[in-house]
Amino acid sequence: THAHTLYEHKVENVTECMNNLKLPQNLQNRIQDYYRFMWNEHRTTTSQPVPFLDDLSPSLKEEVDLYLKRSLVNKSELFKSAPKSYVRALVPMLKHTIYLRGDFIMREGEFGEEMYFITNGSCLVSLKGKRIAIMERGSNFGEIALITKTERTASVHALTNVTLYSLHKSSVAELESHFP
């Protein structure tokens, strides 16, 4: 298809650029894995899972965005009882993020300012090197970073390629003036 041809051209251009930059082969392989995952999972070569979203009218864009993200937000204990108007305002602030298998999403002891919502894949939670839990689609983590400025209490890394939405502390703070 036309879209697959565009994907192949993108991969060729990226490969040529990586070679020109003389990136190490293992890094080149991970970058190629990223593009392969974006293509296989979302049928796109951009970092946006819905490439046509910006082309839509504001109303349609909001409707699609709410459809894709609202259930993730509502599953979170932090936002479970939030008014619908708050959720409507919060959803556009969620940013699409990809982590490849083996990537650390957050590390115990580091300061964090983001919360994450898993849309696909699975993550391992560990504390002091011990496995605590496995989280999958619909799970969320990192909410403490939105509430207080403290170190991460656990590490989380991707067991598989993972698609997430991240929510930054500044986005929540921005909404506080409208939703005290």
Side-chain angles (χ1 to χ4, degrees):
T1 66
H2 177 67
H4 192 265
T5 302
L6 291 175
Y7 162 72
E8 289 174 340
H9 284 231
K10 177 75 171 196
V11 170
E12 286 174 16
N13 289 338
V14 168
T15 300
E16 183 178 340
C17 185
M18 291 187 302
N19 288 332
N20 289 339
L21 293 170
K22 296 179 176 42
L23 294 181
Q25 191 60 50
N26 64 336
L27 182 55
Q28 288 189 34
N29 292 343
R30 289 183 43 73
I31 291 168
Q32 289 171 342
D33 287 346
Y34 173 84
Y35 281 103
R36 199 171 12 263
F37 177 68
M38 285 300 296
W39 175 254
N40 290 333
E41 187 71 25
H42 303 289
R43 288 295 189 246
T44 183
T45 58
T46 71
S47 61
Q48 297 304 315
V50 186
F52 64 84
L53 197 61
D54 288 336
D55 299 337
L56 299 177
S57 68
S59 180
L60 279 174
K61 181 177 180 176
E62 179 183 39
E63 199 173 329
V64 170
D65 218 21
L66 279 169
Y67 173 79
L68 294 173
K69 302 173 187 173
R70 178 179 31 222
S71 66
L72 292 169
V73 172
N74 289 337
K75 286 181 183 176
S76 165
E77 286 297 319
L78 190 59
F79 302 113
K80 187 181 267 186
S81 59
K84 288 182 181 182
S85 56
Y86 182 86
V87 173
R88 279 184 105 75
L90 184 72
V91 158
M93 297 177 167
L94 297 175
K95 303 297 178 215
H96 183 258
T97 311
I98 298 287
Y99 285 91
L100 297 178
R101 182 176 27 107
D103 286 350
F104 271 91
I105 299 165
M106 59 187 224
R107 296 178 192 265
E108 182 179 353
E110 292 181 349
F111 282 95
E113 296 189 327
E114 292 173 315
M115 174 183 186
Y116 299 92
F117 303 84
I118 302 173
T119 62
N120 283 310
S122 57
C123 299
L124 174 69
V125 182
S126 60
L127 182 62
K128 298 182 183 182
K130 294 183 180 178
R131 293 175 168 231
I132 301 298
I134 293 178
M135 294 184 295
E136 296 181 329
R137 181 185 181 97
S139 299
N140 58 80
F141 57 93
E143 63 279 2
I144 294 170
L146 299 184
I147 299 168
T148 182
K149 186 172 185 157
T150 187
E151 295 176 353
R152 297 283 192 187
T153 58
S155 294
V156 178
H157 81 270
L159 286 175
T160 64
N161 293 338
V162 180
T163 303
L164 306 153
Y165 285 109
S166 64
L167 176 62
H168 197 273
K169 185 177 196 163
S170 62
S171 298
V172 175
E174 185 181 320
L175 290 178
E176 285 179 3
S177 62
H178 301 289
F179 301 91

